[in-house]
Coordinates of all heavy atoms in Angstrom, one line a residue:
G1 N 38.9 -24.6 65.7 CA 37.6 -24.5 66.5 C 36.5 -25.3 65.7 O 36.5 -25.4 64.5
T2 N 35.6 -25.8 66.5 CA 34.4 -26.6 66.0 C 33.1 -26.1 66.7 O 33.2 -25.9 67.9 CB 34.7 -28.1 66.2 OG1 35.8 -28.5 65.5 CG2 33.5 -28.9 65.6
I3 N 32.1 -26.1 65.9 CA 30.7 -25.9 66.5 C 29.8 -26.8 65.8 O 29.9 -27.1 64.6 CB 30.3 -24.4 66.3 CG1 29.0 -24.2 67.1 CG2 30.2 -24.0 64.9 CD1 28.6 -22.7 67.2
T4 N 28.8 -27.4 66.5 CA 27.8 -28.2 66.0 C 26.5 -27.4 66.0 O 26.1 -26.9 67.0 CB 27.6 -29.5 66.8 OG1 28.8 -30.2 66.8 CG2 26.5 -30.4 66.2
I5 N 25.9 -27.3 64.8 CA 24.7 -26.4 64.6 C 23.5 -27.3 64.3 O 23.6 -28.2 63.4 CB 24.9 -25.5 63.4 CG1 26.2 -24.8 63.4 CG2 23.7 -24.6 63.2 CD1 26.2 -23.5 64.2
S6 N 22.5 -27.1 65.1 CA 21.2 -27.8 64.8 C 20.2 -26.9 64.1 O 19.9 -25.8 64.6 CB 20.6 -28.2 66.2 OG 21.4 -29.1 66.8
F7 N 19.8 -27.3 62.9 CA 18.9 -26.5 62.1 C 17.5 -27.0 62.4 O 17.3 -28.2 62.4 CB 19.2 -26.6 60.6 CG 20.4 -25.9 60.2 CD1 21.7 -26.5 60.4 CD2 20.4 -24.6 59.7 CE1 22.8 -25.8 60.0 CE2 21.5 -24.0 59.3 CZ 22.8 -24.6 59.5
S8 N 16.5 -26.1 62.5 CA 15.1 -26.5 62.7 C 14.2 -25.4 62.1 O 14.7 -24.3 61.8 CB 14.8 -26.8 64.2 OG 15.0 -25.6 64.9
E9 N 12.9 -25.7 62.1 CA 11.9 -24.7 61.6 C 11.2 -24.2 62.9 O 11.0 -24.9 63.8 CB 10.9 -25.3 60.6 CG 11.6 -25.5 59.3 CD 10.6 -26.1 58.3 OE1 9.5 -26.6 58.6 OE2 10.8 -25.9 57.1
G10 N 10.8 -22.9 62.8 CA 10.0 -22.3 63.9 C 9.2 -21.1 63.4 O 9.1 -20.9 62.2
T11 N 8.8 -20.3 64.3 CA 8.0 -19.1 63.9 C 8.8 -17.9 63.7 O 8.3 -16.8 63.3 CB 6.9 -18.9 65.0 OG1 7.6 -18.7 66.3 CG2 5.9 -20.0 65.1
V12 N 10.1 -17.9 64.1 CA 11.0 -16.8 63.9 C 12.3 -17.3 63.2 O 12.5 -18.4 63.2 CB 11.3 -16.0 65.2 CG1 10.1 -15.5 65.8 CG2 12.0 -17.0 66.2
I13 N 13.1 -16.3 62.7 CA 14.4 -16.6 62.2 C 15.4 -16.2 63.3 O 15.4 -15.1 63.8 CB 14.7 -15.9 60.9 CG1 13.7 -16.3 59.8 CG2 16.1 -16.2 60.5 CD1 13.8 -15.4 58.6
D14 N 16.2 -17.2 63.7 CA 17.2 -16.9 64.8 C 18.4 -17.8 64.6 O 18.3 -18.9 64.0 CB 16.5 -17.1 66.2 CG 17.4 -16.7 67.3 OD1 18.2 -15.7 67.1 OD2 17.3 -17.2 68.4
A15 N 19.5 -17.3 65.2 CA 20.7 -18.1 65.2 C 21.4 -17.7 66.5 O 21.5 -16.5 66.9 CB 21.7 -17.9 64.1
S16 N 21.9 -18.7 67.3 CA 22.5 -18.4 68.6 C 23.5 -19.6 68.9 O 23.5 -20.6 68.3 CB 21.5 -18.3 69.6 OG 20.7 -19.5 69.8
T17 N 24.3 -19.3 70.0 CA 25.2 -20.3 70.5 C 24.9 -20.3 72.0 O 24.8 -19.3 72.7 CB 26.6 -19.9 70.3 OG1 26.8 -19.7 68.9 CG2 27.6 -21.0 70.8
D18 N 24.7 -21.5 72.6 CA 24.4 -21.6 74.0 C 25.7 -21.6 74.8 O 26.8 -21.6 74.2 CB 23.5 -22.9 74.3 CG 24.2 -24.2 74.1 OD1 25.4 -24.3 74.0 OD2 23.5 -25.2 74.0
Q19 N 25.6 -21.7 76.1 CA 26.7 -21.7 77.0 C 27.7 -22.8 76.8 O 28.9 -22.7 77.1 CB 26.3 -21.5 78.5 CG 25.6 -20.2 78.8 CD 25.1 -20.2 80.2 OE1 25.1 -21.2 80.9 NE2 24.7 -19.0 80.7
E20 N 27.2 -24.0 76.4 CA 28.0 -25.1 76.1 C 28.7 -25.1 74.8 O 29.5 -26.0 74.4 CB 27.2 -26.4 76.3 CG 26.9 -26.7 77.7 CD 25.7 -25.9 78.2 OE1 24.8 -25.7 77.5 OE2 25.8 -25.5 79.4
G21 N 28.4 -24.1 73.9 CA 29.1 -23.9 72.7 C 28.3 -24.6 71.5 O 28.8 -24.6 70.4
A22 N 27.1 -25.1 71.7 CA 26.3 -25.6 70.7 C 25.5 -24.5 70.0 O 25.1 -23.5 70.6 CB 25.3 -26.6 71.2
G23 N 25.4 -24.6 68.6 CA 24.8 -23.6 67.8 C 23.3 -24.1 67.4 O 23.1 -25.3 67.3
Y24 N 22.5 -23.1 67.3 CA 21.1 -23.4 66.9 C 20.7 -22.3 65.8 O 20.9 -21.1 66.0 CB 20.1 -23.2 68.1 CG 20.5 -24.2 69.2 CD1 21.4 -23.9 70.2 CD2 20.0 -25.5 69.1 CE1 21.7 -24.8 71.2 CE2 20.4 -26.4 70.1 CZ 21.2 -26.0 71.2 OH 21.6 -26.9 72.1
V25 N 20.1 -22.8 64.7 CA 19.6 -22.0 63.7 C 18.1 -22.4 63.5 O 17.8 -23.5 63.2 CB 20.4 -22.1 62.4 CG1 19.7 -21.3 61.3 CG2 21.8 -21.7 62.5
V26 N 17.2 -21.4 63.6 CA 15.8 -21.6 63.4 C 15.4 -20.8 62.3 O 15.7 -19.5 62.2 CB 15.0 -21.2 64.7 CG1 13.5 -21.5 64.5 CG2 15.5 -22.0 65.9
V27 N 14.7 -21.4 61.3 CA 14.2 -20.6 60.2 C 12.7 -20.8 60.1 O 12.1 -21.9 60.5 CB 14.8 -21.1 58.9 CG1 16.3 -20.7 58.9 CG2 14.7 -22.5 58.6
K28 N 12.0 -19.8 59.5 CA 10.5 -19.9 59.3 C 10.3 -20.9 58.1 O 11.2 -21.1 57.3 CB 9.9 -18.6 59.0 CG 10.0 -17.6 60.2 CD 9.4 -16.3 60.2 CE 9.0 -15.7 58.9 NZ 8.5 -14.4 59.0
E29 N 9.1 -21.4 58.0 CA 8.8 -22.3 56.9 C 9.0 -21.8 55.5 O 9.5 -22.5 54.6 CB 7.4 -22.8 57.1 CG 6.9 -23.8 56.1 CD 5.5 -24.3 56.3 OE1 5.2 -24.6 57.5 OE2 4.7 -24.3 55.4
D30 N 8.8 -20.5 55.4 CA 9.0 -19.8 54.0 C 10.4 -19.2 53.8 O 10.6 -18.6 52.8 CB 7.9 -18.8 53.8 CG 8.0 -17.7 54.8 OD1 8.7 -17.8 55.8 OD2 7.3 -16.7 54.6
T31 N 11.3 -19.4 54.7 CA 12.6 -18.9 54.6 C 13.4 -19.7 53.6 O 13.5 -20.9 53.6 CB 13.4 -18.9 55.9 OG1 12.7 -18.2 56.9 CG2 14.8 -18.3 55.8
E32 N 14.0 -18.9 52.6 CA 14.8 -19.6 51.5 C 16.3 -19.4 51.8 O 17.0 -20.3 51.3 CB 14.4 -19.0 50.2 CG 13.0 -19.3 49.7 CD 12.6 -18.7 48.4 OE1 13.6 -18.1 47.7 OE2 11.5 -18.7 48.0
A33 N 16.7 -18.3 52.5 CA 18.1 -18.1 52.6 C 18.3 -17.4 54.0 O 17.5 -16.7 54.5 CB 18.6 -17.2 51.5
V34 N 19.5 -17.7 54.5 CA 19.9 -17.0 55.8 C 21.4 -16.7 55.7 O 22.1 -17.6 55.2 CB 19.5 -17.9 57.0 CG1 20.2 -19.2 57.0 CG2 19.7 -17.2 58.3
D35 N 21.7 -15.6 56.3 CA 23.2 -15.2 56.4 C 23.6 -15.4 57.8 O 23.0 -14.9 58.7 CB 23.4 -13.7 56.0 CG 23.1 -13.5 54.5 OD1 23.2 -14.4 53.7 OD2 22.8 -12.3 54.2
L36 N 24.7 -16.2 58.0 CA 25.2 -16.6 59.3 C 26.6 -16.0 59.4 O 27.4 -15.9 58.5 CB 25.2 -18.1 59.5 CG 23.9 -18.8 59.5 CD1 24.1 -20.3 59.6 CD2 22.9 -18.3 60.5

């Protein structure tokens, strides 16, 4: 299996997968670590 994850900065921390199977990870500017 394969997933393509797009990382970006935003106002909240979030991780999700859309209906087409693409992944998105959003981190706040001061976030140093995230568990996925």
Side-chain angles (χ1 to χ4, degrees):
T2 299
I3 185 170
T4 300
I5 309 278
S6 297
F7 289 84
S8 63
E9 288 184 337
T11 57
V12 297
I13 299 172
D14 189 27
S16 61
T17 307
D18 68 16
Q19 293 178 346
E20 286 79 40
Y24 301 92
V25 175
V26 180
V27 295
K28 295 185 344 184
E29 185 177 307
D30 62 347
T31 302
E32 294 178 8
V34 65
D35 293 337
L36 298 177

